[in-house]
Each structure stands twice: as C-alpha cells, then as structure tokens.
Amino acid sequence: MTTSGECIALRADGLTKRYGDLVAVDDLSFAVRRGEIFGFLGPNGAGKTTALKMMCGLLRPDAGSVEIAGRPLVAGRGAGASAIGVAPQNAVFWPLLTCREQLEFVGRSHGLTAALARERVAELLAALGLQEKADQLGRTLSGGMQRRLNIALGLVHRPEILLLDEPQAGLDPQSRVLVRDYVRALAGAMTVVITTHDMEEAEKLCQRVCIVDRGRLLALDTVAGIKRQAGEGDRFELELNVDLAAALLPALGELPAAPAVVVKGATLCFAAAGGNELLARVLRVVAERGLGLVQLRMRRATLEDVFIRLTGRGLRE
C-alpha cells in the first residue's frame, strides 16, 4: 500500500463501527498519501459515509483509530479537526445567509482575518461559478448551486484534507465538469478523499481508489492496478453471419488462455487481458469454419466492470 518513506496525510487503522447487530465498518485500514486524490468507492450501505464521519471526527469509532499527518484524531475534540474540510452528501448551508456571508463566517470561525476571509471567499466564488450569486440567500440557489456552495464551505479555511461525499450528486453536466476540473487542480496542493458511486468520475479524477463493501476493504490500488489484480481485460463481441456461435465453443476451449465465452444467439462475448493476440486466434477459428464476421466490437475494461465483479450485481438499499 505505502512505503515507509511516503508522507501520509490520513491513516485509518482498524476502524470499526457497529449499530446493534449491524457492523457498518469492519476493521477498515488504509492510508492516503499527501496531495493525492483518493477515491473511496462502494455500493449503497457499504459503510462509506460512516467511515467518512469517523475520518473527520464527527463519529467515534467502536475500535480503531484515525491519524491526520501522524496526529491522532479524537471525535468531539477540536485538535486536528481544523485540518479537515468536509462537504457532506446532503448539502449543509445557511438558507437565510448570502453565499458571501456564510463563506466569510466559516472562514472567520477557522481563524482567518477579515481581509484573508474576503480574499479566499472571492477566490472560491469565482472558481466554483458562484460570483454572480454571491449576495443571494442560500435558499434561493438551485440544487446544483447549493451543492457547489457546500463544497466551497469545506474549502474556505484551506484544509490539509478535503473529504467530499458524493460531490457530483445533483449536478448538471456543466457543473460536473467545473467541479471535476477544480478538484483535479487541487492535486498536489491538498489531499482529497472522494466517496462516489460514479465509477467514470472516479476513473477520471483519482490517482488511487479503494473499494469497500459491507464495511470491509476489498481492493486498494491505482485504477490500472486494481484492474490487473481483478483479472479484468478488454471486452469483445463478435457477431457472426449465422446462428452457429455455440458450435465454436469446443474449438475456442482448446485455445491457449481460452476465455470464458458467453453465446448470445449469433454473438460471441468474452473478456481477456491482453486480448489482441487471443482475438486473432478466435478470428482464425471463425475463418477456418467458413463463418462470416458481421461485426466486431471491443472496449477497454472500466472501473465499473471491476466494481461489479467485486461487489456483485445485487441491488442495494
């Protein structure tokens, strides 16, 4: 996971949280490097939000610990909390204060001078596309704008670590791009931990990701590394000119590194790592049997493919 020489911004060691018979977070351990964008991924009910609350000191773990830059974080105490900024999944803001007023209030509450707070607020309003709404009440903003304001409130005191819980929720495509680009620009200067269901967004943004389910860690690595560990490869679909695809299965099974093939009528579907060589052999088998190829479709394996393989296809509450 990490080497001894790396600078760790956040470390979770054996985090556990129970609610009666339900173990929401189960002996969860991982480390986030300083300056990286780290994806914390899992299906509904995986324990992501509970773990995030323990990581920012809002919830006391039943077992385990959290360290921020080597300093213990204790729930309910101020020490270490100022190093963390949080944008929760459900937007939290003051409906009867303007955007500028609430951002300046949060900045001053974290010890910024009035001048520094005004400077920081102006920077965030511009960066997150809220400058034209600076003097409007929070309750008058659209849902997407409230979401962007929520993110700005977590950033105003320049925290060492920013925790974003589903930051893309409720955003229109333009806002998604704006937030993504802004978060990407934070890499190196700030440590960002993102919980999300959006695998495509995580793949675009995160240098490393971990996948959790039922409170336990399933995988942690770069996206490419997790794909290698999970054995995920390119996806191929070969549509033939006759409905005889099943007749090819014995011949395909004799190939070196034979893939697991699914037959759908006249279409062969399979996945394989380093699949170009294997594809050439499959096409040779097709040609030897005098079958015509109608269409060939190929796509790279995605983080979503790995996620589904590790966590299953069952629906979650």
Side-chain angles (χ1 to χ4, degrees), residues 186-209:
L186 296 175
M190 186 180 295
T191 304
V192 183
V193 178
I194 299 173
T195 74
T196 182
H197 294 104
D198 191 329
M199 299 298 112
E200 183 180 357
E201 205 66 30
E203 196 158 1
K204 290 176 180 176
L205 268 177
C206 301
Q207 284 122 351
R208 291 191 307 145
V209 299

Side-chain angles (χ1 to χ4, degrees), residues 6-299:
E6 289 172 332
C7 190
I8 301 303
L10 183 151
R11 186 186 301 278
D13 185 14
L15 280 184
T16 300
K17 187 66 182 178
R18 300 179 180 86
Y19 296 99
D21 293 333
L22 173 67
V23 182
V25 178
D26 190 359
D27 193 27
L28 187 63
S29 299
F30 62 92
V32 181
R33 300 164 185 161
R34 179 169 292 176
E36 80 172 328
I37 301 177
F38 184 87
F40 195 66
L41 315 178
N44 287 336
K48 303 187 304 296
T49 298
T50 300
L52 205 70
K53 288 179 179 178
M54 291 189 282
M55 284 184 248
C56 66
L58 288 175
L59 186 64
R60 191 184 303 276
D62 294 325
S65 62
V66 175
E67 291 183 356
I68 305 297
R71 306 184 301 270
L73 179 67
V74 180
R77 297 185 186 176
S82 62
I84 302 170
V86 182
Q89 182 173 356
N90 297 317
V92 176
F93 59 93
W94 289 272
L96 297 180
L97 292 180
T98 68
C99 296
R100 191 190 313 276
E101 287 170 342
Q102 50 195 299
L103 286 166
E104 289 186 359
F105 172 75
V106 170
R108 294 301 303 276
S109 70
H110 280 282
L112 273 63
T113 65
L116 280 175
R118 285 194 297 270
E119 179 182 334
R120 178 63 171 155
V121 168
E123 174 188 323
L124 286 170
L125 288 171
L128 290 169
L130 293 169
Q131 62 269 52
E132 294 183 2
K133 307 293 183 181
D135 298 310
Q136 290 195 16
L137 299 181
R139 70 180 182 184
T140 68
L141 302 178
S142 68
M145 288 179 180
Q146 290 175 354
R147 190 76 186 143
R148 282 182 269 149
L149 175 61
N150 203 46
I151 294 171
L153 288 167
L155 282 162
V156 69
H157 62 297
R158 295 188 187 275
E160 297 175 32
I161 301 170
L162 177 64
L163 305 180
L164 298 176
D165 195 2
E166 299 290 348
Q168 302 288 349
L171 296 183
D172 59 44
Q174 290 80 7
S175 294
R176 289 166 69 89
V177 171
L178 184 149
V179 169
R180 180 198 308 146
D181 289 346
Y182 184 74
V183 171
R184 185 182 286 127
L186 296 175
M190 186 180 295
T191 304
V192 183
V193 178
I194 299 173
T195 74
T196 182
H197 294 104
D198 191 329
M199 299 298 112
E200 183 180 357
E201 205 66 30
E203 196 158 1
K204 290 176 180 176
L205 268 177
C206 301
Q207 284 122 351
R208 291 191 307 145
V209 299
C210 73
I211 298 175
V212 299
D213 195 15
R214 295 180 173 85
R216 299 189 67 86
L217 182 68
L218 301 182
L220 191 161
D221 205 335
T222 62
V223 172
I226 283 181
K227 288 179 185 178
R228 286 193 300 270
Q229 292 174 33
E232 294 297 321
D234 300 335
R235 263 57 179 167
F236 298 93
E237 290 187 6
L238 282 71
E239 184 180 345
L240 307 179
N241 62 346
V242 290
D243 194 2
L244 295 175
L248 292 175
L249 292 180
L252 296 178
E254 296 174 1
L255 291 175
V261 179
V262 176
V263 177
K264 300 178 180 178
T267 302
L268 296 171
C269 306
F270 63 93
N276 289 339
E277 182 179 351
L278 181 60
L279 175 62
R281 291 172 176 164
V282 172
L283 291 174
R284 193 175 302 121
V285 171
V286 171
E288 288 171 353
R289 279 151 180 77
L291 302 178
L293 182 65
V294 176
Q295 190 173 41
L296 168 63
R297 293 180 290 272
M298 185 192 82
R299 66 172 177 84

